[in-house]
Amino acid sequence: MTIQRETMPYDVVVVGGGPAGLAAAIRIKQLNADLSVCVLEKGSEIGAHILSGAVVDPRAMDELLPDWRDSDCPLAQTPVTDNWHWVLTKGGHYAVPHALMPPFMSNHGNYTASLGNLCRWLGGKAEELGVEIFPGFPAAELLYDGDRIIGVQTGDMGVDHEGNPKPDYQPGMNLTAKYTVLAEGARGHLTKRVKAKYDLERDCQPQVYGLGIKELWDIAPDKHVPGRVLHTQGWPLSESESWGGGFLYHQAGGQVALGFVTALDYRNPHVSPYEEFQRWKQHPAIRAILEGGKRVSYGARVINEGGWQSVPHLAFPGGVLAGCSAGFVNVPRIKGSHTAMKSGMLAAEAIVEAITAGHEGTQLDGYEATLRESWIADELKLVQNAQPLVAKFGGALGTVLAGADMWARYLKVNPFGAMAHHTDAEATGRADLYQPIAYPKPDGVISFDRLTSVSFSFTNHEEDQPCHLKLTDPSVPTRINLPRYAGPEARYCPAGVYEFVDVPGGEGDAKRLQINAQNCVHCKTCDIKDPTGNITWVAPEGGGGPNYPNM
């Protein structure tokens, strides 16, 4: 059957309504108001799929919208006033003096806020400038003219589980463009294809990731200190020789944003990042803050942790990568919004320059060259070995070496060069080499089960639609992953999407992998951590997924 699709031409199509995509759209209109720009956002609204700590460095905001502090911008509500870093032991903790850290690790002058609300505000600014924003329209496919990208196709609506049109079927649209900006966030599904097609990672290290799991709590007023920022490391991941850490930020409205990041290069396949987060909340120092409070939201998302050496080539015929699609997170600072926005602005400037010169669909190598000479590069080079040193030497010694390396680079010395990475999938060890972990049952007060938590993400998918979690080989989960790795799918997912269930009428203890795709919070962990690389995440029907408030 030939599907008739509407075509809508634009000068620029931006995929992703996060900080990078919105900054790109705003900057294009600032430079040339006559250019037509649209932003596609797969969430039900701008901000619905945005999840971050977040403590934001305002450097890019100052460049993009210099008067933001004097406006109703939600970022301006809560400047950082108090900064702590704790190393946790099982029953206690000790503070790391800030004097031991390089000056660039300070949070002085930063702000803590909901990144989702900041994106909603940026979306309003973009629309004021004439940017067209389409929430609920995921970019499902790339459009090509020969070897160059000429836009994207949005996903079809009203397709049943078997792929057949339902009575309310609506075909996706073709949005054509002179240039396309991929700003999908970490592990974007179109970015993944573009990297492979154009071999964008030929000269860089593989990207590695952490899984960030976050909750919002209303806490007792006498415990709330607006602007207080706390980071932790050590327990409980130290018990499984894994790496990561927690955060707890006192934000506006009597709320704290708290969460836990587990580096996905952990070797023990029995580790459950979700359960490690629940354990972390039960630490006496963390529990003391939460007791008497109430959880109001939950979510999860992966974070780029590869650093500067994992940044791929950024330009290809007809388009560019920006933001976390490329991987500009400063890992030890746990910040990437400012670098994402700056990359979007630099992409915008290169696009406007090209269109003004009469070009269309060219490869914008000037964008890449400019970015690699920008303050993004200066900042990320200072910290590029923090993650690989910890990965190689472990949490205790690795942290000391990472600190020494950052100090040395700050003082213009480079002792280690640029260290290498291994993919998170290949880091996973055989189950028989590690002891299973007996995680405590949730108490329903501080710690919770996964399905209850998913209900606090307000996730919704139309159940009768094609599964957006694709198995390359359906036999792999039970033929390889279950016997060799003890079925890690059931543990690395923070939303209970994957579970091994008995085969009805099967012989002995025969199992099959059940995929509860309606639970998916779009964190992308399965696309990254599956030890056989057997799972591919694709965009579900538009508007599906979490609906995060204030995250």
Side-chain angles (χ1 to χ4, degrees), residues 10-15 20-39 64-65 125-126 129-132 177-183 320 322 341-356 364:
Y10 289 90
D11 290 308
V12 185
V13 168
V14 178
V15 180
L22 293 170
I26 290 169
R27 189 68 179 134
I28 290 168
K29 296 297 274 187
Q30 287 176 336
L31 294 171
N32 188 337
D34 294 331
L35 294 181
S36 57
V37 183
C38 82
V39 174
L64 182 67
L65 298 165
K125 293 299 179 184
L129 293 170
V131 175
E132 295 182 36
K178 295 174 181 175
Y179 292 98
T180 301
V181 179
L182 296 183
V320 296
M341 290 180 66
K342 179 63 174 178
S343 70
M345 295 159 62
L346 293 175
E349 291 162 8
I351 288 169
V352 172
E353 181 180 359
I355 293 176
T356 301
L364 299 175

Side-chain angles (χ1 to χ4, degrees), residues 63-134:
E63 294 182 16
L64 182 67
L65 298 165
D67 60 350
W68 65 272
R69 289 179 181 80
D70 301 319
S71 69
D72 59 350
C73 179
L75 186 62
Q77 295 179 8
T78 313
V80 174
T81 57
D82 195 10
N83 194 31
W84 294 87
H85 189 109
W86 291 348
V87 176
L88 303 185
T89 60
K90 188 170 184 177
H93 68 277
Y94 58 89
V96 177
H98 285 288
L100 297 179
M101 300 181 187
F104 60 78
M105 292 292 291
S106 170
N107 276 310
H108 178 73
N110 296 332
Y111 295 78
T112 180
S114 159
L115 190 62
N117 286 342
L118 175 60
C119 287
R120 292 180 179 96
W121 185 83
L122 288 171
K125 293 299 179 184
E127 289 182 316
E128 289 174 7
L129 293 170
V131 175
E132 295 182 36
I133 298 179
F134 299 134

Side-chain angles (χ1 to χ4, degrees), residues 61 81 99 116 156 185 210 232 243 272 326 423 455 482 521 530:
M61 283 287 291
T81 57
D156 294 346
T232 77
W243 172 250
S272 166
T423 68
S455 71
L482 189 58
V521 295
D530 188 77

Side-chain angles (χ1 to χ4, degrees), residues 47-376:
H49 288 180
I50 296 293
L51 184 144
S52 177
V55 172
V56 179
D57 183 329
R59 185 173 186 176
M61 283 287 291
D62 289 339
E63 294 182 16
L64 182 67
L65 298 165
D67 60 350
W68 65 272
R69 289 179 181 80
D70 301 319
S71 69
D72 59 350
C73 179
L75 186 62
Q77 295 179 8
T78 313
V80 174
T81 57
D82 195 10
N83 194 31
W84 294 87
H85 189 109
W86 291 348
V87 176
L88 303 185
T89 60
K90 188 170 184 177
H93 68 277
Y94 58 89
V96 177
H98 285 288
L100 297 179
M101 300 181 187
F104 60 78
M105 292 292 291
S106 170
N107 276 310
H108 178 73
N110 296 332
Y111 295 78
T112 180
S114 159
L115 190 62
N117 286 342
L118 175 60
C119 287
R120 292 180 179 96
W121 185 83
L122 288 171
K125 293 299 179 184
E127 289 182 316
E128 289 174 7
L129 293 170
V131 175
E132 295 182 36
I133 298 179
F134 299 134
F137 284 86
E141 301 290 342
L142 294 159
L143 300 176
Y144 291 93
D145 179 7
D147 193 49
R148 67 187 179 103
I149 290 176
I150 58 168
V152 299
Q153 183 181 108
T154 64
D156 294 346
M157 305 281 283
V159 179
D160 69 18
H161 190 76
E162 301 299 325
N164 301 311
K166 296 188 290 189
D168 60 347
Y169 172 72
Q170 294 181 6
M173 299 180 295
N174 289 334
L175 304 180
T176 60
K178 295 174 181 175
Y179 292 98
T180 301
V181 179
L182 296 183
E184 304 176 282
R187 196 67 167 194
H189 75 292
L190 296 184
T191 300
K192 185 178 173 182
R193 297 179 202 174
V194 164
K195 285 182 176 180
K197 178 177 176 60
Y198 298 106
D199 195 17
L200 298 183
E201 295 181 300
R202 61 189 178 273
D203 298 318
C204 70
Q205 292 295 311
Q207 185 60 259
V208 295
Y209 300 86
L211 171 59
I213 304 176
K214 178 183 176 182
E215 294 177 347
L216 286 180
W217 284 64
D218 292 328
I219 64 168
D222 61 327
K223 298 180 180 181
H224 190 257
V225 184
R228 173 167 289 176
V229 166
L230 167 66
H231 293 108
T232 77
Q233 66 182 79
W235 189 88
L237 288 176
S238 55
E239 293 187 353
S240 60
E241 298 183 351
S242 306
W243 172 250
F247 63 86
L248 195 151
Y249 305 149
H250 293 248
Q251 297 181 337
Q255 286 191 332
V256 293
L258 66 144
F260 198 76
V261 179
T262 302
L264 289 178
D265 62 353
Y266 61 83
R267 297 190 175 280
N268 184 344
H270 300 292
V271 166
S272 166
Y274 177 84
E275 297 294 351
E276 297 293 342
F277 174 42
Q278 303 309 308
R279 293 178 72 199
W280 175 80
K281 287 188 293 177
Q282 295 285 8
H283 188 278
I286 304 301
R287 184 181 180 108
I289 299 170
L290 301 180
E291 283 182 321
K294 179 182 178 182
R295 181 175 69 158
V296 297
S297 190
Y298 168 86
R301 188 71 170 91
V302 297
I303 306 165
N304 297 300
E305 291 192 340
W308 184 246
Q309 59 267 57
S310 293
V311 173
H313 289 286
L314 303 172
F316 45 89
V320 296
L321 303 180
C324 285
S325 282
F328 298 122
V329 173
N330 184 319
V331 178
R333 291 188 75 199
I334 323 178
K335 292 178 179 61
S337 300
H338 64 303
T339 49
M341 290 180 66
K342 179 63 174 178
S343 70
M345 295 159 62
L346 293 175
E349 291 162 8
I351 288 169
V352 172
E353 181 180 359
I355 293 176
T356 301
H359 301 310
E360 178 177 340
T362 56
Q363 182 162 310
L364 299 175
D365 292 324
Y367 159 60
E368 177 155 356
T370 301
L371 189 143
R372 292 184 182 274
E373 295 297 325
S374 71
W375 57 255
I376 296 176

Side-chain angles (χ1 to χ4, degrees), residues 527-551:
D527 197 287
I528 296 163
K529 185 57 177 173
D530 188 77
T532 49
N534 192 50
I535 301 174
T536 298
W537 190 100
V538 300
E541 192 169 286
N547 285 280
Y548 293 138
N550 304 326
M551 294 284 267

Side-chain angles (χ1 to χ4, degrees), residues 42-44 49 136 459-462 465 520 522 540-547:
K42 65 182 176 68
S44 60
H49 288 180
T459 293
N460 181 61
H461 292 91
E462 173 60 48
Q465 64 171 293
C520 179
H522 300 195
E541 192 169 286
N547 285 280

